[in-house]
Each structure stands twice: as C-alpha cells, then as structure tokens.
Amino acid sequence: DKRAPAAKESSAAPVASVPGPAADRAPAAPRVSFGIEPVEVAVDGRITVVAKSVIPLGAADEAGLVPGDVLVTWEGTAIDSKRTFAACARATAPGDIVVMTVDRTNADGSVQPRVLAIKPDVVPSSPSKPAAAAAAASISAAVWGERTVTAFGAKSVAMGAPLALAA
C-alpha cells in the first residue's frame, strides 16, 4: 500500500501562537512625562525626593518647578521615594492635571511650601529601538534662547545652574 502513514495524535500541549510584527499588535497607550529627574536624598535621617533637574519648557518647568525643589506630595500622597514618584507618574493619564506640593529653599535658607498644578506632556507609545534611536538622533537638540539644550536623555539643568553644552 503506497498511502502515507496516518498521523499519530500527540498528547503534547498545543504551541502558543507567537504575535506577529509590532505593526500587527495594538499600539501601546500613550504615556505622560513631567520633565523631572527625581533623586533620593537623605535629610535628617529620612529620605526625601528632590528634583535634580527639570527639562526646560517641559510640564514641570511650565508649572514653576525648579531644580532643588523637594517633592512633598502628589495629589495628597507623600512622595517618600523615587518608587512612589514613579508609581504616581504611571497612574497619571494623558490630560490629567496633578496637584503637587513642593518645598523650595530660598536664598536666606528659609523653606517655602508651594502648590503646583502640573499638566504632563503626552509621550507617544514607544516605537521600536531603532526607530527611537533615529528619532532621538534627528531631534536631539533644540535651540532655546542662545543655548542649545539636549531634549532626550541628557540633563539640561543641574541643581539650578544650566550645564555648559556645545552650541
């Protein structure tokens, strides 16, 4: 008999399908950016979160946050770590306005509490790494006044003093 042998039934579990290219998948939800680089600092034995840098013309800068401000609360939640800050940021939807309380140290050493309303910038869903690298390379610098400031990745402001960046 020249017929092909009958296929044997397998008891193995079916193989899960592998998603196709990124274009076949639903796009990721947009994220938000506050334009703050937080850093944890120990003060009198407790951890505080300080704005190490603020992106010029970003959401935090537009709301009045400056490098060195201590981030105290986010919508009433105490900001006691970078992890708490990140969790609050992730829970913020595009279009939300966040009320944040900060402490600002004045030139005379006094501390002035401030309440800021920050509407975060919307960041499109993440492109592939090569596409993101190409986009960053093509728009990595923006002219602001007489200075060139880096828009992606680099710190453009450090603790109140602008960094000296190449023109």
Side-chain angles (χ1 to χ4, degrees), residues 70-97:
V70 176
L71 311 178
V72 179
T73 65
W74 180 302
E75 293 288 325
T77 299
I79 302 173
D80 56 3
S81 67
K82 283 176 46 175
R83 174 176 271 168
T84 302
F85 175 85
C88 290
R90 280 191 305 273
T92 303
D96 286 354
I97 295 177

Side-chain angles (χ1 to χ4, degrees), residues 1-132:
D1 187 5
K2 301 247 181 203
R3 288 184 289 173
K8 293 182 180 177
E9 287 190 38
S10 172
S11 61
V15 177
S17 63
V18 177
D24 293 345
R25 288 184 241 145
R31 299 175 298 124
V32 296
S33 170
F34 289 87
I36 304 168
E37 182 186 1
V39 62
E40 291 179 348
V41 177
V43 177
D44 297 329
R46 70 179 181 92
I47 299 295
T48 61
V49 180
V50 176
K52 179 178 180 184
S53 64
V54 177
I55 295 174
L57 303 177
D61 182 45
E62 295 289 324
L65 191 83
V66 298
D69 280 353
V70 176
L71 311 178
V72 179
T73 65
W74 180 302
E75 293 288 325
T77 299
I79 302 173
D80 56 3
S81 67
K82 283 176 46 175
R83 174 176 271 168
T84 302
F85 175 85
C88 290
R90 280 191 305 273
T92 303
D96 286 354
I97 295 177
V98 174
V99 176
M100 187 182 293
T101 305
V102 301
D103 284 343
R104 181 167 299 160
T105 303
N106 298 317
D108 64 1
S110 64
V111 176
Q112 177 183 14
R114 292 178 176 247
V115 177
L116 306 175
I118 303 175
K119 183 174 181 181
D121 298 319
V122 177
V123 179
S125 60
S126 299
S128 66
K129 287 185 180 181

Side-chain angles (χ1 to χ4, degrees), residues 127 130-140 152:
S138 68
I139 55 173
S140 65
F152 291 98

Side-chain angles (χ1 to χ4, degrees), residues 144 147 149 155-165:
W144 186 50
R147 294 177 298 208
V149 296
K155 297 166 188 70
S156 56
V157 180
M159 298 307 288
L163 292 175
L165 300 174

